[in-house]
Amino acid sequence: MTYTFALVGNPNSGKTTMFNEITGSTQYVGNWPGVTVEKKEGKARKFKEDIEIVDLPGIYSLSPYTMEEIIARDYILDEKPDVVINIVDATNIERNLYLTTQLIELGIPVIVALNMMDVIKSREDRIDVEKLSAFLGVPVLEASASKGIGIQELVEKALEAAQSRASANSCERCKMLDDAIEQSLDKAEPFVALPARQKGYNSRWVALKLLEGDEKLQEKLKVPVTLMEDIKSFRKELEQKYDNDMETLIADNRYRFISDVVAKTVKKNNKGNILTLSDKIDKVVTNRILAIPIFLILMFAIFQVSFGALGSFTVDWLDSFINETVGGVIKAWLEAGGAAEWLRALIIDGILAGMGSMLVFVPQIMIVFFFLSLLEDSGYMARAAFIMDRILRKLGLSGKSFIPMLIGFGCSVPAVMAARTLENEKDRRLTIILTPFMSCGARLPVYALFAAAFFEQNQGVVIFSIYMLGIVIAVLSGILLKKFVLKGEVAPFVMELPPYRFPTIKGIYIHMLDRSKDFVKKAGTVIFAAAVVIWFLQSFSFSLQMVEDAGESILGFIGKAIVPAFAPLGLDDWRASVALLTGLVAKEVVVATLGILSGVGAAGEDSAELAAALQTYFTPLKAYAYMAFTLLYMPCIAAFGAIKREMNSWKWTFFTISYQTGTAWFVAFLIYQGGRLLGLE
Amino acid sequence: MSRTLKELKPGDKAVVKSITGEGAVKRRLLDMGVTKGAEVFVRKVAPLGDPIEVNIRGYELTFRKSEAENIIIE
Ligand SMILES: Nc1nc2c(ncn2[C@@H]2O[C@H](COP(=O)(O)OP(=O)(O)OP(=O)(O)O)[C@@H](O)[C@H]2O)c(=O)[nH]1
């Protein structure tokens, strides 16, 4: 027999920890169809029965407003898991039980896992579990996910419920709603019985939801209009009687019931109003004066470690390991075997370098996500949003977008991935589109080269102005896109500030590993394929001859063909456009390509020879337009892969790179033509 | 005139009477436990003056002043 249990609970209730405890290493992380919300599945360990555990998104309610809520609700209603395991944070019981009161109405057996009981015990608070279970009409079990306590019992109990096919929770004791509402439900229920039965939904729940005016459900059940008229008249009656709208009435009723239950079952050991450790930390961290400096110092430190010595050391090491050590071995082996030149090139410069261009990001992703999970698990992330909200709201973003933006100055790949910490889909998409405008480390060599060649006196100012240009373009784009593309109701900023907790090493480790695996598996294929394609295009001519000079390759041909498109930007030399194409592999490659095409070999950004060569086909104004274009046009293929992964949609991915490239063209155009009008050269 | 939560200062306490407005913001506030009879304690205002942090039903909740304006208190 196979059973399916769904884990449902509020964010921060310990759901992930519980899931990991139950499933161990059997988990599989995917996506819910069509959206970027993560779907985790796994098998319960230590049971001979086949038990599939599905971790549903963390939610506060089943009211279908957020994507997470819709996913969770649809899953429970349509996939009908055998049991719903509801993780309830015992230290925040009132709000957590609100979801419970909704789950028990769905007609699927529910088991409540009262998590974080270790904290309750250490506080010497008391919860009468038996009484709570009687009030809710469902089994309630104590647990402590992070300590591994109560897990086995929980799964056993769920199995029992599944095997006995315990019919849905008949909760007669839990008189949650007012008599008048119950009576309306009695009247409405027969009306909806048919559409509810067709889908196998609990008819009383359907009646309640339609009475509340749930349009999503109405659409789903295709409730006839005439029938809705009747339901609406019931609603009108109630709303008039209470002089309040139905949504408010039902929520009030639920919370009133919960307050009552909590008063009867929870005894707090209130030793006066002592400040908890969490309160004390918060007093400093969100202090009026200290909050922003602390935030900035933290961000600076994270940035330094990720992209400073440690980050670049690991990247360089891995790069040379793959390309030199492994590459050297394979090369020697191929040469010994007498492989043809094109085959050697394919394996070493195509496939191996392609793999390398993906794998070099892994250490950095791990470092960045080490810090991100530290921020997230400790509870600081929510505070960061709280502190920064005011500034980022102006761009139509929320406070949490700050972190991906900042990481963008290091590397767009982990930055785009970091956008996943944003719950709201529109905010997340916007953040992904804007993050690559933050000038990443790989673009600096390009600026350094041009600044040295054309702006010798003001190198620092020129480079700084390019960085600022990226920020300004991001701000303007944010306002613009929010107004025309990602428009719609402003997502409410109503957010829980979870108590500070000490992050567990295990939690962080799992998080880091998950992200890296996910990157290699999901983004990796795209990056690898793109790298091999570009390698092919720049190494072969149309007659499939291998060429040394990229200018004679297929890519060179394409680069020459698109020169007219760049002419209005002043970039009328084919070498400039070809270098932009090879720059898609990684933006610093622009420098090397310019070197080769200018006939000075693969020069570095500080080569005086290359600078002199560039002066023959660039002017300072053209150079500045070129730098701006390099900053803004679509990011490298690795970032492209990450964008595809995080957008989880080709349409949005292509929109993103088209928007970026379009913006680059337009800005470079303004710079060049504007500069000319001002008489610059 | 009814008083809204926006008028409170850090350290003030109040009891929620009702929520005005509609749509996602209202629903979200209701779901988070900002319902009739709930006690709110205004803990602090963010360093830049917005949003605010309150304690309600034993946990910490934050929302913007524009949202606090929708919360009528007794
Ligand atoms: N003291 C204690 N801490 C716990 C327990 N279970 C989980 N935690 C901690 O609570 C925090 C949140 O746990 P998660 O498992 O990430 O919670 P979640 O519900 O998955 O949260 P989201 O990922 O935000 O949806 C982590 O820091 C855990 O270590 C527990 O039983 N006792």
Side-chain angles (χ1 to χ4, degrees):
Chain A
M1 230 359 239
T2 312
Y3 298 101
T4 308
F5 300 166
L7 288 186
V8 188
N10 283 188
N12 287 302
S13 57
K15 231 159 42 64
T16 310
T17 315
M18 183 70 84
F19 178 77
N20 290 337
E21 279 298 320
I22 300 178
T23 61
S25 56
T26 65
Q27 34 182 288
Y28 173 78
V29 183
N31 260 23
W32 293 92
V35 290
T36 31
V37 179
E38 217 165 62
K39 178 181 192 179
K40 280 198 189 155
E41 291 167 293
K43 298 238 181 268
R45 297 183 290 183
K46 301 180 202 152
F47 283 88
K48 57 179 192 304
E49 287 86 354
D50 194 10
I51 304 174
E52 180 89 20
I53 310 281
V54 180
D55 191 14
L56 297 181
I59 48 172
Y60 294 109
S61 163
L62 292 176
S63 51
Y65 272 90
T66 67
M67 204 160 47
E68 285 79 5
E69 288 169 353
I70 296 169
I71 291 169
R73 191 171 99 169
D74 285 351
Y75 180 85
I76 300 172
L77 287 173
D78 297 329
E79 306 295 320
K80 297 194 175 42
D82 295 294
V83 178
V84 167
I85 299 180
N86 175 208
I87 315 287
V88 165
D89 175 358
T91 63
N92 186 353
I93 193 163
E94 272 194 60
R95 206 213 43 231
N96 273 256
L97 285 180
Y98 180 71
L99 178 63
T100 313
T101 62
Q102 302 182 38
L103 291 170
I104 56 185
E105 292 168 346
L106 293 179
I108 304 255
V110 174
I111 291 186
V112 169
L114 209 49
N115 194 29
M116 314 248 183
M117 282 307 286
D118 55 315
V119 182
I120 296 290
K121 295 220 165 91
S122 73
R123 281 190 200 160
E124 297 177 32
D125 290 352
R126 265 208 184 100
I127 300 180
D128 189 335
V129 174
E130 262 161 51
K131 232 175 172 177
L132 185 61
S133 164
F135 276 121
L136 296 173
V138 299
V140 178
L141 281 95
E142 297 184 30
S144 178
S146 62
K147 302 244 172 345
I149 300 171
I151 317 279
Q152 204 68 8
E153 292 84 342
L154 182 66
V155 183
E156 269 162 28
K157 191 84 189 174
L159 195 58
E160 222 175 85
Q163 282 169 336
S164 67
R165 310 220 147 251
S167 60
N169 331 282
S170 53
C171 186
E172 272 127 33
R173 291 128 308 201
C174 46
K175 222 191 73 55
M176 198 149 53
L177 304 172
D178 274 352
D179 290 338
I181 302 179
E182 292 284 1
Q183 281 157 15
S184 287
L185 281 177
D186 289 339
K187 281 191 278 178
E189 206 180 329
F191 284 83
V192 301
L194 186 66
R197 191 159 356 103
Q198 280 167 349
K199 284 260 185 189
Y201 297 172
N202 180 304
S203 58
R204 200 165 185 86
W205 178 78
V206 172
L208 178 62
K209 279 290 146 184
L210 294 182
L211 211 54
E212 257 190 296
D214 185 326
E215 283 164 14
K216 285 260 157 36
L217 187 67
Q218 196 183 320
E219 272 165 40
K220 219 170 141 181
L221 291 176
K222 303 197 183 71
V223 185
V225 185
T226 48
L227 211 153
M228 273 320 288
E229 289 304 319
D230 292 317
I231 305 262
K232 268 186 199 145
S233 74
F234 294 139
R235 174 159 84 222
K236 279 247 167 57
E237 241 172 67
L238 281 174
E239 288 183 341
Q240 262 158 17
K241 178 172 157 56
Y242 287 96
D243 189 24
N244 215 334
D245 63 284
M246 261 332 265
E247 277 193 318
T248 308
L249 275 177
I250 305 283
D252 283 354
N253 271 273
R254 287 187 198 282
Y255 267 110
R256 205 185 49 208
F257 167 75
I258 294 165
S259 301
D260 198 43
V261 169
V262 169
K264 286 178 184 147
T265 54
V266 181
K267 268 218 167 52
K268 290 217 163 147
N269 174 24
N270 240 338
K271 296 182 198 137
N273 265 335
I274 48 157
L275 287 177
T276 62
L277 180 63
S278 190
D279 295 334
K280 283 184 201 153
I281 298 174
D282 217 40
K283 270 215 140 69
V284 180
V285 168
T286 59
N287 178 287
R288 272 208 105 110
I289 298 155
L290 295 177
I292 292 181
I294 290 178
F295 174 76
L296 293 176
I297 289 171
L298 267 175
M299 292 301 121
F300 180 76
I302 292 175
F303 192 84
Q304 275 302 314
V305 178
S306 307
F307 303 107
L310 179 63
S312 46
F313 169 76
T314 49
V315 171
D316 291 346
W317 179 82
L318 196 67
D319 192 29
S320 83
F321 176 76
I322 293 171
N323 286 316
E324 277 150 41
T325 315
V326 179
V329 170
I330 297 180
K331 197 169 172 180
W333 184 70
L334 286 173
E335 271 164 10
E341 196 197 341
W342 67 266
L343 183 64
R344 270 185 286 161
L346 171 72
I347 291 175
I348 294 180
D349 302 330
I351 295 176
L352 190 68
M355 302 255 278
S357 64
M358 163 185 100
L359 289 176
V360 288
F361 291 101
V362 172
Q364 228 154 35
I365 288 170
M366 290 182 90
I367 300 172
V368 166
F369 278 94
F370 169 80
F371 287 115
L372 282 184
S373 29
L374 207 64
L375 294 181
E376 191 101 64
D377 289 0
S378 63
Y380 185 77
M381 196 65 112
R383 269 76 184 184
F386 175 71
I387 297 167
M388 299 306 290
D389 179 67
R390 183 104 199 226
I391 299 176
L392 285 145
R393 186 190 326 163
K394 297 223 162 65
L395 316 186
L397 288 171
S398 86
K400 284 191 183 177
S401 307
F402 189 88
I403 292 169
M405 296 285 189
L406 177 95
I407 294 170
F409 285 110
C411 174
S412 304
V413 174
V416 165
M417 293 174 74
R420 218 186 273 192
T421 50
L422 281 97
E423 290 86 12
N424 182 279
E425 174 147 73
K426 275 187 203 137
D427 287 2
R428 186 166 51 223
R429 289 211 163 117
L430 187 56
T431 306
I432 294 172
I433 298 172
L434 302 185
T435 300
F437 288 148
M438 304 300 121
S439 189
C440 73
R443 288 170 239 183
L444 188 56
V446 184
Y447 313 149
L449 169 68
F450 281 92
F454 295 95
F455 304 97
E456 221 189 330
Q457 306 303 322
N458 307 309
Q459 292 189 34
V461 180
V462 165
I463 293 179
F464 182 73
S465 74
I466 289 284
Y467 274 81
M468 288 313 291
L469 179 69
I471 297 173
V472 171
I473 294 297
V475 170
L476 296 178
S477 299
I479 296 168
L480 197 80
L481 290 171
K482 199 78 184 182
K483 190 143 194 181
F484 295 108
V485 183
L486 291 155
K487 50 186 182 239
E489 206 179 345
V490 184
F493 183 82
V494 179
M495 187 181 67
E496 177 186 9
L497 293 173
Y500 289 96
R501 290 206 180 90
F502 211 79
T504 60
I505 308 240
K506 202 167 157 192
I508 293 178
Y509 169 76
I510 289 177
H511 210 82
M512 274 166 64
L513 220 63
D514 268 1
R515 281 290 166 272
S516 313
K517 273 199 289 198
D518 185 76
F519 171 76
V520 171
K521 266 198 273 184
K522 299 279 169 48
T525 41
V526 176
I527 298 170
F528 175 69
V532 173
V533 168
I534 294 193
W535 166 79
F536 176 79
L537 294 178
Q538 69 176 354
S539 313
F540 288 88
S541 67
F542 276 110
S543 52
L544 296 185
Q545 295 291 310
M546 271 191 81
V547 291
E548 277 298 312
D549 182 345
E552 285 157 25
S553 68
I554 303 177
L555 200 69
F557 180 83
I558 300 172
K560 288 171 191 166
I562 59 174
V563 167
F566 287 99
L569 321 181
L571 308 173
D572 44 13
D573 194 285
W574 62 273
R575 288 169 284 197
S577 47
V578 172
L580 289 175
L581 288 180
T582 59
L584 293 178
V585 173
K587 288 202 171 171
E588 74 263 25
V589 174
V590 169
V591 175
T593 306
L594 285 173
I596 294 169
L597 299 181
S598 308
V600 295
E605 70 259 24
D606 42 10
S607 149
E609 246 184 322
L610 178 53
L614 288 178
Q615 281 159 359
T616 63
Y617 58 99
F618 277 101
T619 64
L621 184 60
K622 288 179 182 182
Y624 197 83
Y626 195 68
M627 285 194 268
F629 195 91
T630 307
L631 163 74
L632 301 171
Y633 83 113
M634 77 169 275
C636 66
I637 48 178
F640 173 76
I643 292 172
K644 161 65 180 61
R645 164 69 190 132
E646 297 305 319
M647 287 286 194
N648 200 23
S649 138
W650 282 111
K651 184 185 125 215
W652 278 102
T653 308
F654 283 112
F655 173 78
T656 305
I657 60 168
S658 315
Y659 178 77
Q660 288 160 344
T661 309
T663 306
W665 193 92
F666 186 66
V667 172
F669 177 80
L670 287 185
I671 290 172
Y672 181 67
Q673 299 296 347
R676 286 220 313 186
L677 282 180
L678 294 174
L680 299 175
E681 224 191 289
Chain B
M1 263 306 278
S2 46
R3 291 213 305 149
T4 72
L5 205 120
K6 194 183 167 202
E7 293 155 44
L8 297 187
K9 304 230 149 20
D12 290 352
K13 261 188 188 158
V15 173
V16 176
K17 194 168 159 204
S18 65
I19 301 181
T20 54
E22 50 186 54
V25 175
K26 177 176 186 170
R27 181 77 223 193
R28 182 82 169 176
L29 285 169
L30 291 172
D31 285 346
M32 298 303 274
V34 187
T35 59
K36 193 173 167 193
E39 250 189 54
V40 245
F41 169 71
V42 181
R43 202 178 279 280
K44 65 163 68 101
V45 177
L48 299 170
D50 199 14
I52 58 178
E53 176 183 343
V54 302
N55 183 286
I56 186 165
R57 298 189 186 275
Y59 78 99
E60 306 298 314
L61 181 69
T62 170
F63 39 73
R64 293 175 183 157
K65 284 190 169 157
S66 57
E67 277 133 13
E69 227 171 353
N70 290 335
I71 303 171
I72 314 275
I73 51 174
E74 276 173 7

